Amino acid sequence: KNWEQLDGPIGAFVRTMPWRHFGRKNLGYLFAILHGAEYFFDFDDDNFIKLDEASGEPVEILPSTVALDNVTVVMLGPTAFNHHPIMKPSIPAPSWARGFPLEYIKDKATEGQAAFRHSMPFVSKSGSIGVIQFLADGNPDVDANHRLMRPLPMTFDNSEDATSILVPKHAYSPYNAQASIHTQPALWATLLPTTVPGRVSDIWRSYFAQCIFADSDLRLVFAPPKIEQIRNEHNFLGDLTAEND
């Protein structure tokens, strides 16, 4: 409330943020940026970081090196990329993320093919990593149609052979605000729209951001699950209605 009384652009921005909307997270992003954040780990209250089997401590989330090792580079024709199949879900096909266009869920061409693996620096001449989206095991971020029609719980490949996936430059794939890292060059891309239902605010954000990523040499990476989602109670039909926005 004190911020709402400020003069200038910060106060004006705070006053536009609606209460009881997912987009109010924007105030947390603004606070972190003003205090010099280098990374954001954007997560939800029903997501839990997995524990290391040996130490019993939470696994590392923020990158500890200047590169991601063994990132799978994907070849893809269409502009829509469904990252679920290449990350090996435990349930039979089809499977897709919240926000993926439903008309393409059975289109094999959107699944892409693994071309090769390489280490990807966070900053390089070929582009910087803007967002790392971790998948989640258990009750992951899928849409209401998926929840109503497909079995749960489900998991994704987290074996020693599991790798992160680099989304092709020309392609779009929805990512969320439930278990993602924004690096410093992409902190601007955390801004959540507040003129749409909170259920889809982060999805619209992801598509808007990727439009600019393409012109800013920023890349989107999907990473194997380090998160277990134990989902809060939801009304599936309410989610279905909100996701139609």
Side-chain angles (χ1 to χ4, degrees):
K1 287 226 176 229
N2 291 338
W3 280 27
E4 291 181 355
Q5 309 307 316
L6 293 175
D7 294 327
I10 291 179
F13 176 77
V14 173
R15 289 190 291 273
T16 65
M17 290 299 105
W19 289 86
R20 298 185 179 278
H21 189 282
F22 193 71
R24 198 156 178 89
K25 291 179 76 171
N26 287 329
L27 301 184
Y29 305 147
L30 177 61
F31 181 87
I33 290 172
L34 292 175
H35 286 77
E38 296 183 4
Y39 297 98
F40 285 175
F41 178 48
D42 201 0
F43 65 99
D44 218 349
D45 61 352
D46 54 3
N47 286 277
F48 299 87
I49 299 174
K50 291 186 174 184
L51 301 180
D52 182 83
E53 292 183 0
S55 68
E57 298 293 323
V59 298
E60 292 291 334
I61 291 292
L62 290 177
S64 57
T65 62
V66 295
L68 290 180
D69 294 328
N70 290 325
V71 176
T72 297
V73 177
V74 173
M75 293 191 304
L76 180 77
T79 55
F81 175 46
N82 181 5
H83 60 277
H84 272 205
I86 205 168
M87 302 195 82
K88 299 179 181 178
S90 60
I91 64 172
S95 181
W96 62 95
R98 178 171 58 94
F100 187 77
L102 293 178
E103 61 266 33
Y104 296 134
I105 60 175
K106 293 186 176 181
D107 186 346
K108 293 288 186 181
T110 66
E111 298 176 8
Q113 293 184 345
F116 57 91
R117 297 180 182 182
H118 74 155
S119 293
M120 181 159 185
F122 277 84
V123 179
S124 70
K125 292 182 179 179
S126 61
S128 303
I129 296 176
V131 171
I132 304 170
Q133 169 74 73
F134 293 102
L135 274 70
D137 285 340
N139 202 331
D141 190 36
V142 294
D143 63 25
N145 283 287
H146 195 298
R147 294 184 192 285
L148 290 166
M149 296 188 297
R150 313 295 297 134
L152 286 171
M154 60 183 285
T155 59
F156 294 90
D157 185 16
N158 202 20
S159 67
E160 291 184 359
D161 293 330
T163 70
S164 298
I165 304 295
L166 181 66
V167 176
K169 277 188 175 182
H170 72 281
Y172 295 82
S173 192
Y175 62 88
N176 60 47
Q178 298 190 11
S180 58
I181 291 175
H182 283 72
T183 64
Q184 194 168 46
L187 293 187
W188 55 266
T190 54
L191 180 66
L192 289 162
T194 58
T195 56
V196 296
R199 180 70 187 152
V200 294
S201 181
D202 55 344
I203 299 302
W204 280 115
R205 176 181 78 173
S206 74
Y207 282 120
F208 295 154
Q210 287 174 84
C211 288
I212 303 175
F213 283 2
D215 295 325
S216 305
D217 288 329
L218 292 172
R219 307 299 299 273
L220 168 62
V221 171
F222 287 98
K226 292 187 176 182
I227 303 295
E228 182 85 19
Q229 182 168 356
I230 304 174
R231 197 172 191 239
N232 296 328
E233 185 175 346
H234 277 243
N235 181 312
F236 288 174
L237 294 181
D239 286 349
L240 185 67
T241 299
E243 289 166 1
N244 281 332
D245 187 86

